[in-house]
């Protein structure tokens, strides 16, 4: 897959078949659209191309918008690369770009820059200044500027019954199984392991302290999760706590993972943690001994879960 960091850097060597959107999560609904895009590209010999945007439009257009995204831009790129897509254009979204009328966007961007031959788009997609144009307008522009429009029907989208908003809601309440079902993969966090206070070591549960640089990344509900990661080429399972360590009277949110059967030094390494199951909410224990007892229970539950995989 070729990656372009703006529309201006893209040079079409042939006609393109395009879909566009933010694709946050690259969930099963998005995957359906991209599968159709790639299938069409093979039949027509057009280059399969996704046009996406960063920052998210709501971050730019809504003052102090605190939208949390399912993917960082690097995570979104990696997920799209797995689909077999030929071209990914990540265009910087700003207020100037947002003021393009629907026809300016079609003529200047899709036709003149991307050399579009066909567009594959969801039935409810809206575009142009203030999102005033819809699929019917796009079909009219297609007739005017000589490109095809293929609409993903409401029925096809509703069969997936999924949206990025639904996934965010599921993660915020700890329903990781539903979120993963909608995503078509296990929700994951990517960050760098940094040295923490090493409190876990004192009770026999050393942890990797994960720091996520991107403040727009959605962190799921606080609590304990069963997780997996690929470390040194090996699949490793563990327990992850998202919270403030109330038993130790901590205040700042931390993400800490205790890996099973893994002892190598991970400091300053970037790792990816996939969330498999929500075990329980974080809680404050009356003593460190009671916390350790609960961690032993969590570990046994994790081992039982992993044994069934």
């Amino acid at each position: 897959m070729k990656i372009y960091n703006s529309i201006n850097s893209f040079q079409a060597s042939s006609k393109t078949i395009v879909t566009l959107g933010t694709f946050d999560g690259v969930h099963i609904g998005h995957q359906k659209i991209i599968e159709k895009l790639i299938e069409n590209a093979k039949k027509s010999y057009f280059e399969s191309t996704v046009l996406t945007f960063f920052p998210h439009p709501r971050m730019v257009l809504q003052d102090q918008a605190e939208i949390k995204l399912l993917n960082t831009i690097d995570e979104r790129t990696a997920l799209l690369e797995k689909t077999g897509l030929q071209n990914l254009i990540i265009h910087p979204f700003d207020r100037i770009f947002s003021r393009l009328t629907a026809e300016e966007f079609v003529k200047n961007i899709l036709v003149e820059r991307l050399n579009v031959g066909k567009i594959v788009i969801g039935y409810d997609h809206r575009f142009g200044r203030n999102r005033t144009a819809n699929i019917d307008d796009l079909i009219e522009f297609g007739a005017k500027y000589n490109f095809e429009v293929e609409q993903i029907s409401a029925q096809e989208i509703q069969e997936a019954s999924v949206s990025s908003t639904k996934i965010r809601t599921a993660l915020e309440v700890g329903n990781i199984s539903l979120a993963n079902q909608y995503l078509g993969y296990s929700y994951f966090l990517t960050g760098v392991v940094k040295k923490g206070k090493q409190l876990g070591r004192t009770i026999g549960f050393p942890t990797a302290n994960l720091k996520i640089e991107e403040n727009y990344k959605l962190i799921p509900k606080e609590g304990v999760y069963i997780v997996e990661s690929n470390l040194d080429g090996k699949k490793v399972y563990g327990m992850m706590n998202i919270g403030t360590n109330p038993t130790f009277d901590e205040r700042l949110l931390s993400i800490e993972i205790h890996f099973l059967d893994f002892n190598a030094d991970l400091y300053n390494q970037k790792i990816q943690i996939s969330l498999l199951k929500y075990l329980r909410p974080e809680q404050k224990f009356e003593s460190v001994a009671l916390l350790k007892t609960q961690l032993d229970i969590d570990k046994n539950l994790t081992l039982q879960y992993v044994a069934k995989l």
Side-chain angles (χ1 to χ4, degrees):
M1 182 178 79
K2 294 179 181 175
I3 301 168
Y4 301 88
N5 291 319
S6 83
I7 291 162
N8 299 326
S9 64
F10 180 75
Q11 293 291 330
S13 56
S14 67
K15 286 280 188 182
T16 61
I17 177 166
V18 175
T19 191
L20 56 142
T22 51
F23 293 98
D24 186 33
V26 194
H27 56 60
I28 56 175
H30 296 144
Q31 291 164 29
K32 185 182 276 282
I33 292 172
I34 294 168
E35 280 170 16
K36 184 155 283 194
L37 182 84
I38 292 170
E39 184 183 303
N40 270 269
K42 288 174 181 174
K43 290 177 185 173
S44 62
Y45 299 101
F46 293 167
E47 289 189 24
S48 57
T49 303
V50 162
L51 172 59
T52 191
F53 307 98
F54 188 79
H56 191 287
R58 277 174 58 189
M59 291 177 171
V60 175
L61 299 177
Q62 297 177 13
D63 289 340
Q64 297 180 326
E66 290 190 5
I67 182 171
K68 295 295 184 180
L69 301 184
L70 300 171
N71 304 136
T72 67
I73 190 60
D74 289 341
E75 290 170 349
R76 194 194 318 171
T77 299
L79 288 165
L80 288 168
E81 188 160 22
K82 288 179 180 176
T83 64
L85 186 68
Q86 288 172 282
N87 301 312
L88 173 63
I89 305 167
I90 306 168
H91 189 72
F93 191 90
D94 57 24
R95 288 186 178 273
I96 293 172
F97 186 84
S98 75
R99 293 192 193 104
L100 288 175
T101 65
E103 185 156 11
E104 285 171 338
F105 174 74
V106 169
K107 180 178 180 293
N108 300 346
I109 305 300
L110 298 181
V111 176
E112 294 179 1
R113 293 299 316 177
L114 304 190
N115 193 22
V116 65
K118 186 171 184 176
I119 293 179
V120 177
I121 208 77
Y123 75 99
D124 58 349
H125 187 81
R126 305 190 72 83
F127 66 102
R129 186 187 299 167
N130 299 324
R131 292 167 54 82
T132 51
N134 60 23
I135 186 73
D136 295 326
D137 298 301
L138 193 58
I139 290 168
E140 284 185 24
F141 290 135
K144 181 174 181 179
Y145 292 106
N146 195 30
F147 60 83
E148 291 181 67
V149 177
E150 179 166 344
Q151 180 180 352
I152 308 290
S153 71
Q155 183 181 354
E156 284 182 274
I157 297 291
Q158 285 162 2
E159 276 174 10
S161 187
V162 61
S163 70
S164 300
T165 301
K166 282 185 179 181
I167 297 167
R168 290 186 198 112
T169 301
L171 291 168
E172 285 164 356
V173 298
N175 194 343
I176 193 70
S177 59
L178 181 62
N180 289 349
Q181 180 185 325
Y182 284 160
L183 286 166
Y185 60 88
S186 296
Y187 188 70
F188 60 90
L189 305 173
T190 308
V192 176
V193 178
K194 294 294 184 182
K195 197 163 189 174
K197 294 192 174 180
Q198 300 184 309
L199 298 172
R201 290 180 183 275
T202 64
I203 54 173
F205 284 88
T207 60
N209 187 34
L210 193 71
K211 293 292 184 186
I212 296 174
E213 294 175 5
E214 297 85 356
N215 59 8
Y216 60 85
K217 170 76 174 183
L218 188 148
I219 307 301
K221 181 183 177 181
E222 293 181 18
V224 179
Y225 294 81
I226 298 174
V227 299
E228 73 174 16
S229 187
N230 193 297
L231 305 175
D232 295 342
K234 176 187 172 187
K235 187 178 284 188
V236 178
Y237 296 95
M239 302 138 51
M240 177 176 72
N241 185 74
I242 299 174
T244 57
N245 291 316
T247 304
F248 291 99
D249 292 322
E250 297 290 303
R251 294 288 182 269
L252 297 176
L253 186 79
S254 63
I255 302 171
E256 296 176 285
I257 309 101
H258 171 71
F259 291 111
L260 308 177
D261 302 320
F262 187 84
N263 296 311
D265 182 1
L266 294 173
Y267 287 136
N268 298 317
Q269 286 190 38
K270 180 174 271 193
I271 63 173
Q272 183 173 297
I273 305 295
S274 296
L275 285 65
L276 306 182
K277 182 178 174 63
Y278 181 78
L279 277 181
R280 63 174 176 84
E282 187 180 49
Q283 60 193 103
K284 180 169 183 172
F285 294 92
E286 293 301 316
S287 68
V288 174
L290 287 173
L291 169 61
K292 187 178 185 310
T293 299
Q294 181 61 56
L295 290 174
D296 285 328
I297 294 169
D298 296 340
K299 183 175 181 178
N300 285 330
L301 290 171
T302 300
L303 288 168
Q304 290 170 28
Y305 180 87
V306 169
K308 294 175 183 176
L309 294 177

